Amino acid sequence: MPVKRALITGITGQDGSYLAEFLLEKGYEVIGMVRRSSTVNFERIKHIQERLELVSGDLLDQVSLINILDQHRPSEVYNLAAQSFVQTSWGQPVFTGETTALGVTRLLDAIRLVDPDIRFYQASSSEMFGKVREIPQTEETPFYPRSPYGVAKVYGHWITVNYRESYDLFAVSGICFNHESPRRGHEFVTRKIARSAARIKHGLEKDLHLGNLDAQRDWGYAPDYVRGMWQMLQQDEPDDYVLATGHTYTVQRFAELAFEAVGLDYCDYVVQDPRFVRPADVDLLVGDPSKARAKLGWEATTSFEELVEIMVKAEVNNLQ
């Protein structure tokens, strides 16, 4: 049997690094697309970098995408690259649209031109639901995005559906709810909380400034979610799936557990700061993973409490 070959855009990110590990364990050849930049951070993949083939490309440059597909002929493409931070999308809405929305079109069109048999995974987001129309959110819930990032993800989602239906591509979207890990970017609230709890415990910080403590999220563990991404591309027919835990917790509860993990009371250190409140916030996200459970056999296996403990423990170990 020929070795399967997969291309991952965004391989240096949280999901890209875990997916690369997962696919290598499955016996894949893994090609990672990275932007030619002086600030590319290979920290998350340095332990597997020798087993990867890294190639230069950019979602803003369709010719680079066509060349990569033509030269490396992957059987699967996972599009995890994006301007993926909601807060940044308010300051850079046009750039967010170019990468997170139109970048998907460029990649889909490159697949259509080079090899329509390639199976394509698009990283959709629970942020597309925004001001939620129903609770919990399913694959059929109408979208109501509340940020330029959410709007761009809606475009990326629907253009994937459009190419699937128009060109008969095997193109799927995973509507992933929040999934975290010790590899989460420092700008994300979960990593910020876990890191600050550890640093405050060690006397390196005095307090932690956060925005909306009442925002509720469906938080899972990233390695569980990359398994679901792969499972979607192994099906007989392409379809879209919600990946979520089905449980929701507040930012405040995440902070409580994180500080408890280092023997502190969050009330003594957490400060609500209006600087971190978004112009239009998303109050409640909770996904219904029933379809993924029934059709893929997928479910999240790591509890919320275990996730917080994993993240805080990693931060403490980093300091030690």
Side-chain angles (χ1 to χ4, degrees):
M1 221 175 134
V3 175
K4 276 193 168 182
R5 188 176 293 125
L7 170 67
I8 302 173
T9 73
I11 195 168
T12 59
Q14 169 188 260
D15 290 5
S17 65
Y18 282 119
L19 179 61
E21 284 178 352
F22 179 87
L23 294 177
L24 287 171
E25 287 173 12
K26 291 281 182 188
Y28 279 67
E29 290 179 5
V30 178
I31 302 134
M33 189 181 88
V34 294
R35 284 187 301 149
R36 196 179 291 279
S37 163
S38 59
T39 58
V40 174
N41 182 0
F42 294 103
E43 182 70 24
R44 295 182 182 95
I45 57 170
K46 66 180 182 181
H47 62 295
I48 54 171
Q49 197 167 335
E50 290 181 358
R51 300 170 63 194
L52 305 171
E53 183 167 1
L54 299 180
V55 296
S56 181
D58 198 316
L59 290 179
L60 301 182
D61 178 15
Q62 188 168 6
V63 172
S64 70
L65 304 177
I66 290 171
N67 287 339
I68 289 170
L69 295 176
D70 190 44
Q71 290 170 20
H72 297 278
R73 295 288 170 168
S75 56
E76 297 173 3
V77 171
Y78 297 85
N79 183 38
L80 309 184
Q83 189 301 98
S84 60
F85 188 39
V86 175
Q87 191 73 36
T88 299
S89 77
W90 291 103
Q92 297 182 298
V94 176
F95 175 69
T96 299
E98 283 286 354
T99 54
T100 308
L102 290 177
V104 186
T105 314
R106 295 186 188 101
L107 188 49
L108 281 165
D109 216 44
I111 288 170
R112 179 182 70 83
L113 293 169
V114 175
D115 181 2
D117 289 331
I118 290 172
R119 295 191 167 205
F120 174 79
Y121 172 85
Q122 165 61 11
S124 287
S125 167
S126 59
E127 288 287 330
M128 301 189 304
F129 295 119
K131 191 174 180 180
V132 297
R133 306 285 86 188
E134 63 181 3
I135 298 170
Q137 293 89 57
T138 72
E139 293 81 4
E140 305 303 320
T141 302
F143 300 134
Y144 195 142
R146 296 270 283 170
S147 66
Y149 170 77
V151 172
K153 278 293 185 185
V154 170
Y155 178 98
H157 179 87
W158 281 118
I159 201 67
T160 300
V161 173
N162 192 261
Y163 268 65
R164 176 169 75 218
E165 295 178 350
S166 301
Y167 300 114
D168 199 28
L169 297 185
F170 195 109
V172 308
S173 284
I175 306 173
C176 292
F177 281 65
N178 294 63
H179 46 289
E180 318 297 315
S181 76
R183 298 181 194 173
R184 198 52 146 148
H186 289 289
E187 67 271 30
F188 288 86
V189 69
T190 50
R191 182 75 189 276
K192 185 177 175 182
I193 292 170
R195 187 166 184 264
S196 286
R199 290 176 64 80
I200 288 170
K201 178 67 175 178
H202 283 75
L204 299 172
E205 288 180 15
K206 291 185 177 178
D207 53 27
L208 168 61
H209 289 246
L210 295 174
N212 181 8
L213 294 178
D214 297 322
Q216 298 178 64
R217 293 292 183 272
D218 183 327
W219 274 305
Y221 185 39
D224 287 341
Y225 287 63
V226 300
R227 172 169 41 86
M229 298 172 190
W230 173 78
Q231 285 175 290
M232 287 179 211
L233 291 193
Q234 312 316 308
Q235 303 306 301
D236 292 333
E237 298 294 333
D239 205 350
D240 305 323
Y241 298 89
V242 163
L243 298 185
T245 69
H247 304 285
T248 187
Y249 299 91
T250 62
V251 173
Q252 179 176 314
R253 182 61 180 151
F254 196 104
E256 283 177 18
L257 289 174
F259 278 85
E260 276 177 20
V262 291
L264 300 175
D265 183 343
Y266 88 101
C267 293
D268 297 332
Y269 305 99
V270 172
V271 179
Q272 268 201 289
D273 190 331
R275 289 180 303 159
F276 297 109
V277 176
R278 298 171 185 169
D281 209 350
V282 175
D283 299 320
L284 169 64
L285 291 173
V286 56
D288 179 357
S290 299
K291 181 177 174 182
R293 190 183 302 120
K295 293 195 171 185
L296 304 177
W298 179 90
E299 60 184 341
T301 58
T302 309
S303 73
F304 176 69
E305 292 78 12
E306 288 169 333
L307 168 66
V308 178
E309 190 174 336
I310 288 167
M311 292 186 69
V312 175
K313 196 172 283 186
E315 296 297 341
V316 171
N317 289 342
N318 286 343
L319 291 175
Q320 292 173 344

